[in-house]
Structures are given as C-alpha cells and as structure tokens.
C-alpha cells in the first residue's frame, strides 16, 4: 500500500507535465483525489492492513494527499499566471503609434458658392429671405404674368403636387410673397431649391437658384447692369467680359440673359461654350408692371429689377465641373476636393 501511495504521487507529478489548461488540472484532481478517485480506492483497502500498521499508513496517506493537492494547486496557479502574461503581451497597446485621424466634414461646393453669392449681395445692402418650395400656382406662375394656357409655362417643366399646387420651378415666387407682404423700397436676395422635370449633364430635376430683386422709385436698367457687373467681377474675376443679350421672361420687361466670357477658351470658342466664346449665367430684367399690379401696387408707382442665377451653373464654371449630377451623388472623392 505504501508503494501504491508513493506511485500515485509519482503518477500525478508526471501527468501534470503534459497538462496545459486549468480545466485539465481539475480533471486530474477528480481522477486522483475525487470521491471515486485513485486515492479513495487505495484507502478502501486499509481494512485489510494489520491494525498496528494503520496509523503509519494513515499518516502517509494524508501526507501524500496534501502533497498531491499542493502539486495540483501549484500547476493551476502556474497556468493561470502564464495565461495572464500571454494576455498582457498580446493586448499591449503601443501608445507611441500615431492615432487615427477623425474624418473632418466640409461644406458642400454648392453651399460654398451660395455663401459667396450671398456675401457679395449683402455687401450691396441686400437682405436674405426664404420662400416656400411647395407653392400655389398663383405665386409660381399666375402673379408672375404667366396666364393659364400661356405657352411660356412650357419653358419650365413643372412637377404638380395638386391641381393648383406646384414644386416651385424658380425662386421668382419669393418676389410675389415679399411684394405682397411689404411696401417698397427693399432689396432682397432669395436663395433656395427649385424643381423641374428635366435631367441631363447640365440639368437636374432638383437644383438651386438665387433670386435678387430691388423695388423702389426710379430704378433703372443701368443700376441692374451695375449690380450684376459687381456680382460677376467678385465671383469670377475683375476683368471678366460681360454681355447682356435680349431675352424674354413674362415677369420682366425688358428682359435679358447675361453671359460671361468663356473662362476656358477666353472667347476663341470651345466645347464648353459651344464654340460661342460665351457662357450664360443668369436671367434678369425690369419687373413687369403686370407683376406690380398682381401684388396690389399701383402699376406706375414703383419700378424695380430682378434677376435669377442658377447656382449649380456658377459652381460648375468656377470649379470646372462638367456633370451636374456630381453635386448630388455624395461621392467622397468628389466632395473632398473642395
Ligand atoms: C428663371 O428661372 C427665371 N426665374 C430667372 C429670372 C429671375 C429672370 C428674375 C428674370 C428675373 P431660367 O429658366 O432661365 O430662368 O433659369 C435660370 C437659371 O437656372 C438658368 O440660367 C440655369 O443656370 C439654371 N437652370 C435652369 N434649369 C436648370 C436645371 N434643370 N438644372 C440646373 N440648373 C438649371
């Protein structure tokens, strides 16, 4: 029995050599010291041992049991320690590595251009006003001297919300809202989103305009020219060539479209300007007496001018962008350039 006890300790000691997890240590503990374990099996035979030898063997059994328990505890602690060290090693953070830069947002090119336009006109005393994007036919067309069934309505392909309700096709509706609510003199700038059933590389179904208008007594076309010249020079360059071309809008008379000299070919003619040397950037004119009449002013009491600028068009010219859809795709590679 003595040999068996000593052999048991030997066996445990050997088995522990190939054990690598705490769980395996616990399995050994059950196998050797558990209720049905090897040690218990050995001690069962104590009754066959002569009585005088029992105390000595009993002591030895106790001693072996404690030593084996010590071996198991020791190995368990060792494994736990190794595991902790491995974790510390693997999860170490190198605090000397440079951090990941947070992505910084930036303004959309259309926001940049809109703000630039606003700043120029604020410098000339214009105040910024907003108007509704969903509006009554009256404000978008009727009061602007587009009678029903007038062919000029076909110039702008309209999204109808209901029979008399439209997504505004231009920011000119703000002229009517403002004039109905105020008495001149005033000079107002109205940037905003507009909608037309129109889509290609230079036309988008949703785009942006800035409307400007000034109403007072004795306003002249020369003043309109002066204001627009200041605007174009500030936005493009002090020596940008300007051209006023006769045009037609139902709500202005006389009407003009304004072109700037093509920045790419400097007037020689190229693909961007369709070989004309000029690029159209806005529509303008003297406010039509019929418009004053429809907002309740006496038709001869006031004079005024108005203009409407396509913001995408300005941004495309300024930044050399050849497809309007780039503004609305939110491609980071495009947006990062501004
Ligand atoms: C107008 O919208 C008039 N309300 C402008 C105006 C205001 C004239 C005040 C007189 C007095 P027009 O339809 O030409 O005009 O549009 C003005 C500008 O909007 C165009 O020069 C063009 O730059 C831009 N534009 C028109 N349609 C689109 C479109 N689908 N996508 C992008 N820009 C457009």
């Amino acid at each position: 029995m003595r040999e068996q006890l000593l052999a048991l300790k030997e066996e445990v000691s050997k088995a522990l050599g190939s054990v690598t997890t705490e769980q395996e240590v616990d399995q050994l503990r059950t196998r050797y010291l558990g209720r049905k374990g090897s040690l218990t099996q050995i001690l069962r035979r104590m009754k066959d041992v002569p009585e005088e030898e029992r105390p000595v063997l009993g002591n030895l059994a106790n001693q072996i049991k404690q030593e084996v328990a010590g071996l198991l505890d020791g190995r368990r602690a060792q494994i736990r320690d190794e595991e902790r060290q491995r974790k510390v090693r693997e999860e170490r953070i190198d605090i000397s590595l440079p951090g990941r830069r947070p992505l910084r947002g930036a303004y959309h090119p259309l926001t940049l251009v809109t703000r630039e336009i606003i700043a120029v006109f604020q410098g000339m005393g214009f105040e910024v006003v907003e108007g509704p994007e969903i509006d009554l036919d009256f404000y978008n067309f009727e009061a602007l001297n587009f009678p029903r069934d007038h062919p000029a309505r076909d110039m702008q392909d309209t999204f109808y919300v209901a029979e008399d309700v439209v997504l505004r096709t231009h920011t000119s509706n703000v002229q009517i809202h403002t004039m109905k609510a105020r008495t001149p003199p005033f000079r107002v700038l109205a940037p905003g989103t507009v909608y037309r059933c129109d889509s290609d590389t230079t036309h988008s179904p949703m785009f942006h305009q800035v409307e400007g208008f000034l109403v007072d007594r004795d306003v002249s076309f020369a003043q309109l020219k002066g204001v627009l010249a200041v605007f174009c020079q500030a936005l493009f360059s002090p020596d940008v060539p300007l051209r006023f071309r006769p045009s037609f809008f139902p709500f202005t008379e006389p009407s003009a479209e304004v072109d700037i000299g093509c920045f790419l070919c400097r007037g020689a003619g190229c693909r961007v300007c369709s070989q004309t040397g000029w690029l159209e950037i806005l529509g303008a004119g003297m406010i039509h007496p019929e418009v004053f009449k429809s907002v309740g002013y006496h038709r001869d009491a006031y004079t005024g001018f108005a203009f409407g600028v396509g913001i995408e068009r300005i941004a495309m010219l300024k930044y050399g962008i050849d497809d309007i859809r780039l503004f609305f795709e939110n491609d980071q590679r495009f947006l990062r350039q501004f």
Side-chain angles (χ1 to χ4, degrees):
M1 189 166 203
R2 163 186 290 275
E3 286 70 38
Q4 282 178 330
L5 284 168
L6 291 173
L8 179 113
K9 184 182 156 194
E10 242 348 87
E11 218 180 300
V12 172
S13 176
K14 223 165 120 196
L16 278 175
S18 55
V19 151
T20 53
T21 66
E22 292 185 64
Q23 206 184 7
E24 286 173 320
V25 175
D26 290 341
Q27 282 164 2
L28 284 185
R29 191 186 301 276
T30 312
R31 172 142 33 110
Y32 290 101
L33 302 183
R35 246 174 346 110
K36 296 178 187 164
S38 311
L39 187 69
T40 315
Q41 308 288 343
I42 296 170
L43 293 180
R44 272 216 187 109
R45 273 173 271 145
M46 192 66 99
K47 58 181 189 310
D48 308 328
V49 173
E51 198 149 347
E52 61 278 15
E53 285 179 32
R54 279 187 202 164
V56 181
L57 273 179
N59 269 342
L60 180 66
N62 264 337
Q63 190 190 330
I64 295 285
K65 185 178 176 181
Q66 267 165 29
E67 283 176 11
V68 168
L71 286 175
L72 291 165
D73 289 344
R75 182 68 184 130
R76 205 173 195 283
Q78 194 185 9
I79 289 174
R80 182 173 292 191
D81 200 44
E82 280 168 9
E83 179 67 11
R84 210 181 47 231
Q85 280 182 18
R86 187 187 61 79
K87 262 196 169 156
V88 169
R89 236 184 358 258
E90 282 178 5
E91 294 174 7
R92 213 178 114 220
I93 295 169
D94 183 349
I95 56 167
S96 69
L97 280 176
R100 227 172 273 161
R101 273 178 197 285
L103 279 180
R104 271 183 68 183
Y107 288 113
H108 192 279
L110 293 178
T111 305
L112 294 175
V113 171
T114 307
R115 289 188 175 184
E116 204 177 325
I117 295 173
I118 289 173
V120 174
F121 283 104
Q122 277 179 332
M124 292 189 275
F126 283 73
E127 67 174 295
V128 176
V129 160
E130 284 187 0
E133 289 175 28
I134 302 174
D135 211 351
L136 292 173
D137 181 285
F138 175 80
Y139 293 93
N140 194 82
F141 288 126
E142 194 94 38
L144 286 163
N145 196 28
F146 284 89
R148 268 176 212 282
D149 307 321
H150 190 286
R153 288 196 178 204
D154 295 342
M155 286 164 69
Q156 304 179 355
D157 294 301
T158 310
F159 288 115
Y160 281 85
V161 176
E163 194 177 328
D164 260 331
V165 184
V166 299
L167 295 185
R168 67 174 174 189
T169 56
H170 51 183
T171 42
S172 300
N173 66 333
V174 186
Q175 287 188 37
I176 306 303
H177 285 284
T178 307
M179 288 188 215
K180 274 178 85 78
R182 299 193 195 186
T183 310
F186 47 73
R187 41 191 127 163
V188 165
L189 197 71
T193 312
V194 301
Y195 305 85
R196 290 184 199 178
C197 190
D198 204 355
S199 182
D200 58 40
T201 55
T202 55
H203 295 86
S204 163
M206 186 274 307
F207 63 103
H208 302 84
Q209 289 186 339
V210 178
E211 190 86 3
F213 50 97
L214 178 151
V215 183
D216 201 342
R217 292 183 201 279
D218 302 323
V219 179
S220 72
F221 199 95
Q223 288 167 338
L224 169 62
K225 274 190 84 173
V227 164
L228 292 178
V230 167
F231 162 63
C232 293
Q233 286 158 4
L235 238 80
F236 295 101
S237 78
D239 56 357
V240 64
L242 275 189
R243 180 171 84 166
F244 284 71
R245 215 164 9 84
S247 183
F248 171 78
F249 299 101
F251 40 94
T252 48
E253 180 60 35
S255 304
E257 277 175 317
V258 177
D259 302 338
I260 58 168
C262 180
F263 61 95
L264 201 70
C265 62
R266 304 205 167 273
C270 68
R271 238 192 56 213
V272 171
C273 59
S274 310
Q275 311 303 329
T276 63
W278 295 96
L279 294 161
E280 178 202 322
I281 58 161
L282 60 87
M286 302 306 291
I287 296 173
H288 200 292
E290 281 300 314
V291 174
F292 289 139
K293 204 171 118 192
S294 68
V295 297
Y297 295 169
H298 188 280
R299 57 175 284 156
D300 297 324
Y302 299 108
T303 43
F305 62 70
F307 53 87
V309 188
I311 298 180
E312 280 78 1
R313 166 57 67 88
I314 301 282
M316 289 169 86
L317 294 178
K318 253 183 101 78
Y319 298 124
I321 296 162
D322 61 3
D323 192 330
I324 196 168
R325 290 167 288 208
L326 286 166
F327 289 121
F328 308 113
E329 284 168 354
N330 287 330
D331 187 329
Q332 293 285 328
R333 290 166 301 178
F334 171 74
L335 294 175
R336 252 200 298 271
Q337 298 174 49
F338 300 93

